Every structure is written in C-alpha cells, then in structure tokens.
Amino acid sequence: MKKIVLTRKAETGPEYKVVRPAGPLKGEATVPGDKSISHRAAILASAASGRSEFANFSHNSDCLSTLTCLEALGVGIQRETDRLLIAGKGFGQFRAPSEPLYCGNSGTTMRLLCGLLAGCNFEITLDGDSSLRTRPMERVLAPLAKMGLKIIKDGPPPFTIAGGKLSGIEYLLPVASAQVKSAILLAGLQAEGKTTVVEKIPTRDHTERMLSAMKAPIEIFAPSFDPATLEGRLAKDQRERKISVTQTGTLVPLRMKIPGDFSSAAFLVAAAILVPKSKLTVREVGLNPTRTAFLNVLKRMGAEVNWKVEEEQAGEPIGSITARHSQLRGVKISGKIVPNLIDELPLLACLAASAEGTTVIRDAGELRKKESDRIAAVTSNLRKMGAKVGELEDGWAIEGPTEPAGADIESFGDHRIAMAFSVLGLVASGETLISQPECVEVSFPGFFETLEGLAR
Ligand code: S3P
C-alpha cells in the first residue's frame, strides 16, 4: 500500500512531511492522554498531600515541560512506561529553583505555574521559547498581583515574580480563558478569605472537576433555568458561572486514567469525514461537554458523527466517537460556544473549505494569541490550497466547496496548524508539504504514524 505520509529533507534545510491523497480511513484508534487534563493532573498532584498515580499521562512536549518545571521545584516524579507517580509536596512547600523555569512552547504550563507559585515565598523567573515569549501574560499576572503576588519584572516572558501572603478576590474574567481561571483558583486555594472567579462565557472546566475529585473547598454556582420557556432561554444566555475556593492545606491525592485528548481525536474524526468511504471509531476519548462543541458543529454541517459516554474518571466523562465520510455544508460559528471549540477552529476552517456554501467564524480573536497567529496562518495556507477565504479580525468567511490543491504549507511551528493542513492534504490533489512537522509533538506524538496506520 502506498504511504500517505513521507518524510523528506530538502538538499539544504530541515525535514518536512509530505502528505499524499489517502484511501479510506478505517478501523479504530486511540489518542494520547488529554493535554489540558495532564497539565492539571501534574500540577494539582504536586500540591496534594500524598502520592498520586496517573495512567495514560500524555508524553507530549508541553506536558513534559510541566513535569520538568515541577521537578526543578523539588517535586518527586517517577515516570514509568504506563504510569506516572507524583509525590505531592503540598501548597507553598516547593523549593526555589536555581535557574529560570523553562516552559518551552506551553502557555498552560506558564500560566498555571504562576497560580501554583503565588503562595511560595521566593523569587522566580519564568521563560519560554520564541512563540511563548510573544504571548500575553498580563491577563494572569494582573489578577494574581491583586491577590498579593509581587511582580519583580513584568511580562512578556521572561518575567520574574515573588509569591507570599495572598488575599482572596472576586474577579470577573475579562477574556474567556480557562488558563487564567485556573491560575486564580490555584492562588485562591492558598489565599486568606474567599476567591471567586466569575465567567460570563464558560470555558473548559477540568480544573474545577479535578479539584472536586481531590476534595478541595470549591463551590460552583451556575443559576438554573428552564430551557422550555423564553425567559429560561434568555436567562441561560445571561447566566454567569461563579467558581469559589477557600484556603486549604490538603488536597487528596488522585488515582486516575487520563482520557484521550478530544482535541487530538478531532483531527482523526475530521479526516474520516473528509476522505471518501471512511469509517472510524476513536475510543477512550474525553467527552467533557466544555470541550466537545466541535461535534455539535459537525452535526450542524451535516456530518455523520456519533459519540457516547462510557465511563467517568475523576469527574471526567470518557467515551467513543464514530465518524463516517460525509458531505458538509457551511455554517455560522460565533458567540458563547467559541471557547468550547477554540483549539478546533483551524481544523473547522479546513473542513469549511470542502463544505458546500459559506462558513462564517467570528468572536475568535483569541486565535491570534495562540502558538501562532492562527487566523493569519489558516488564511494564508488555505489560500495556497486554492480556497476562497476572507480574513476577518476575529475569524474567517470561507466559501466552499473547493477541491484543495496540494501546496507548500507553512506550519509556523504550530502543532494545530501542521495537523489541520495534514488532514486537508489527505484529500488534496498532489502532494502537501508540511514545514516543521516535529511541532505535532506538542500535543499529539505519533500523529503522522496514526494517520498512516488508519489508511492501510
Ligand atoms: C487550555 C485552554 C485554552 C486552550 C489551550 C489549553 C487549558 O486556552 O486554547 O490549548 O488547558 O486551559 P485559554 O484558556 O488561554 O483560552
């Protein structure tokens, strides 16, 4: 059988991947452990009193950055083939590292560590790679400073902070960000008084679920409403979520199997939908409803996709997704669902190029602040493949269907751009060349091999 993904090296210059048109994708797959949940597992377990044990912890490079930083803070971590053991030190018990903490490409590592370290009585510098050095950090430093964190040298990274005595605050999130929410909650667990985060737009709630599983003093208030009445539906639209925590000395250690990463599964699901005659099931995937809006949008686009929850781990639903090749139609995507599919939007834009009619994606300005400017990256690459794309400040207008043509894709070293365009390459005429393909390691080690295996 011909290979659909090849590695080539230019005569001078780095390696790139060549993606070729594929036959049907069939069978079953699993994906590596969820990146967001793995970060939280490591960070919260390091603050627990006792030893936590995780199966399917993701070995992607972002989560490895978190583990390396925690080790530099004196946390005992045992990495075994199929499990990860973390000896919790307890809040405020970390060791001052001798070097700046290097967070690599990982915004989640950097932002959550700011919250974890806000209660530690030492100075610390956090740094990252060239992409992370451009990403906004004031969104996390500003609320933590209100709680008492000292900013010795302000962001962008490298920046230096000093933790200490903290007081609780009530904070309305100005940007819908689960990372900012989580950092404030981590600091709130070490602060005097109550800390409340208010979100007008719900973001992924892995931190809240894990803290509840670890018996932390956390309360979540989301007003109920009656979806059968107009008032109820209006109330739902207006409703804010409030999450409160108070100081705690103890988090109960966890024993958990980390669900497969929904955002990684999304690439395989999209590939099955695009490639004629495909039928694919992805098993043991996280199906937390604050992450799965992609599936609801696929349904609206006319895709044959089904999913079902089969088990729960530390409050996280896990199940399987089955997708078949489908003809898609254009849709509008905007408003409150955007944070629940923010990482899938580059992929949805690629699917939209193959859909009949116009797709408009708005309210997604945050994409400009991710590992690359994802709005610009998707626009330029989709145009190279022949798609009709209008770039908007906060999204795109894409007119389909286009028969994509293989092209030279610039991934900008951004894992989600590399993978989204590899998927589109499966149905492009000719070869699609993906630059810096090693960036997929950030969230989905083995991505190209998995695609290859499914197309056999
Ligand atoms: C993440 C939250 C999202 C997401 C990122 C991971 C998390 O970012 O884009 O890939 O693990 O909390 P923001 O919370 O900054 O929007």
Side-chain angles (χ1 to χ4, degrees):
M1 193 53 125
K2 71 173 179 179
K3 283 182 92 65
I4 60 166
V5 186
L6 301 169
T7 305
R8 253 189 227 151
K9 189 165 169 14
E11 258 168 42
T12 53
E15 281 187 353
Y16 53 90
K17 288 281 182 203
V18 180
V19 179
R20 290 174 165 173
L25 275 74
K26 295 232 183 237
E28 293 193 352
T30 53
V31 288
D34 186 89
K35 181 158 85 72
S36 290
I37 299 176
S38 294
H39 282 300
R40 286 155 173 83
I43 290 172
L44 292 179
S46 73
S49 27
R51 194 177 81 156
S52 292
E53 183 178 326
F54 301 103
N56 203 34
F57 187 92
S58 185
H59 291 100
N60 66 58
S61 54
D62 266 14
C63 292
L64 294 184
S65 293
T66 290
L67 294 184
T68 314
C69 288
L70 290 173
E71 280 173 332
L73 291 161
V75 179
I77 298 177
Q78 213 175 309
R79 305 157 193 230
E80 297 179 355
T81 340
D82 51 2
R83 58 179 196 158
L84 181 83
L85 304 173
I86 300 191
K89 282 186 91 69
F91 282 115
Q93 302 303 312
F94 302 103
R95 176 182 77 198
S98 47
E99 307 270 323
L101 286 183
Y102 183 68
C103 304
N105 193 243
S106 177
T108 314
T109 305
M110 187 170 271
R111 296 190 178 116
L112 268 57
L113 284 182
C114 287
L116 180 75
L117 298 173
C120 292
N121 223 344
F122 50 74
E123 246 185 63
I124 193 154
T125 299
L126 290 106
D127 200 0
D129 70 6
S130 55
S131 154
L132 191 52
R133 281 183 169 201
T134 66
R135 295 183 63 191
M137 292 299 147
E138 69 288 350
R139 55 179 57 190
V140 72
L141 294 178
L144 293 178
K146 280 189 195 214
M147 298 178 78
L149 180 77
K150 288 182 216 60
I151 316 287
I152 312 289
K153 186 203 159 284
D154 213 341
F159 59 85
T160 305
I161 53 177
K165 204 168 147 25
L166 304 172
S167 332
I169 52 168
E170 171 151 339
Y171 193 73
L172 173 66
L173 284 182
V175 273
S177 165
Q179 296 179 0
V180 176
K181 170 176 68 177
S182 302
I184 299 170
L185 294 177
L186 279 164
L189 290 163
Q190 308 169 70
E192 223 165 74
K194 188 170 171 171
T195 297
T196 302
V197 181
V198 184
E199 35 177 35
K200 285 207 180 289
I201 303 181
T203 63
R204 63 190 68 190
D205 66 358
H206 303 303
T207 303
E208 296 92 303
R209 287 175 192 245
M210 199 172 283
L211 283 175
S212 300
M214 297 174 91
K215 312 268 183 268
I218 179 166
E219 275 177 12
I220 299 160
F221 178 70
S224 57
F225 58 90
D226 178 1
T229 66
L230 177 63
E231 291 74 19
R233 288 196 293 279
L234 288 174
K236 183 187 173 201
D237 264 8
Q238 302 301 319
R239 107 182 137 153
E240 296 172 339
R241 245 179 119 248
K242 287 190 178 190
I243 307 109
S244 298
V245 293
T246 49
Q247 196 167 34
T248 183
T250 49
L251 288 181
V252 175
L254 267 186
R255 216 186 140 95
M256 177 187 190
K257 177 179 78 179
I258 310 275
D261 196 319
F262 179 83
S263 298
S264 300
F267 294 106
L268 305 183
V269 167
I273 287 171
L274 279 181
V275 178
K277 299 200 176 90
S278 297
K279 183 189 171 202
L280 176 65
T281 298
V282 193
R283 297 213 179 275
E284 297 185 51
V285 187
L287 291 173
N288 178 320
T290 61
R291 289 285 295 282
T292 53
F294 174 67
L295 296 177
N296 300 318
V297 169
L298 286 180
K299 281 256 184 227
R300 279 206 281 135
M301 294 176 87
E304 270 194 71
V305 58
N306 295 295
W307 59 99
K308 85 169 177 294
V309 173
E310 287 151 353
E311 58 170 314
E312 200 180 287
Q313 288 277 325
E316 292 286 350
I318 303 180
S320 52
I321 310 171
T322 298
R324 285 186 177 75
H325 169 63
S326 317
Q327 297 301 331
L328 300 178
R329 56 179 173 269
V331 289
K332 296 206 170 16
I333 303 169
S334 64
K336 288 197 170 189
I337 65 159
V338 167
N340 296 158
L341 45 62
I342 190 79
D343 292 339
E344 286 65 69
L345 284 176
L347 179 62
L348 270 172
C350 288
L351 288 174
S354 299
E356 176 83 41
T358 307
T359 294
V360 181
I361 300 176
R362 306 231 52 167
D363 300 325
E366 273 294 301
L367 288 176
R368 295 201 184 271
K369 301 184 179 134
K370 297 291 179 187
E371 287 83 329
S372 69
D373 176 342
R374 289 182 175 162
I375 295 183
V378 165
T379 307
S380 60
N381 284 318
L382 271 183
R383 285 183 183 154
K384 283 186 192 169
M385 293 184 85
K388 288 192 204 123
V389 191
E391 178 171 344
L392 310 170
E393 193 38 48
D394 60 348
W396 309 270
I398 301 164
E399 223 182 290
T402 311
E403 301 255 315
D408 211 335
I409 297 300
E410 172 58 80
S411 71
F412 300 96
D414 182 333
H415 54 132
R416 303 220 190 267
I417 299 298
M419 290 190 278
F421 282 90
S422 299
V423 167
L424 195 54
L426 297 174
V427 288
S429 57
E431 294 186 336
T432 299
L433 276 45
I434 308 285
S435 74
Q436 294 176 259
E438 65 287 349
C439 66
V440 306
E441 296 285 321
V442 160
S443 61
F444 193 165
F447 166 73
F448 293 110
E449 294 76 7
T450 304
L451 271 191
E452 192 69 60
L454 290 168
R456 243 168 246 283

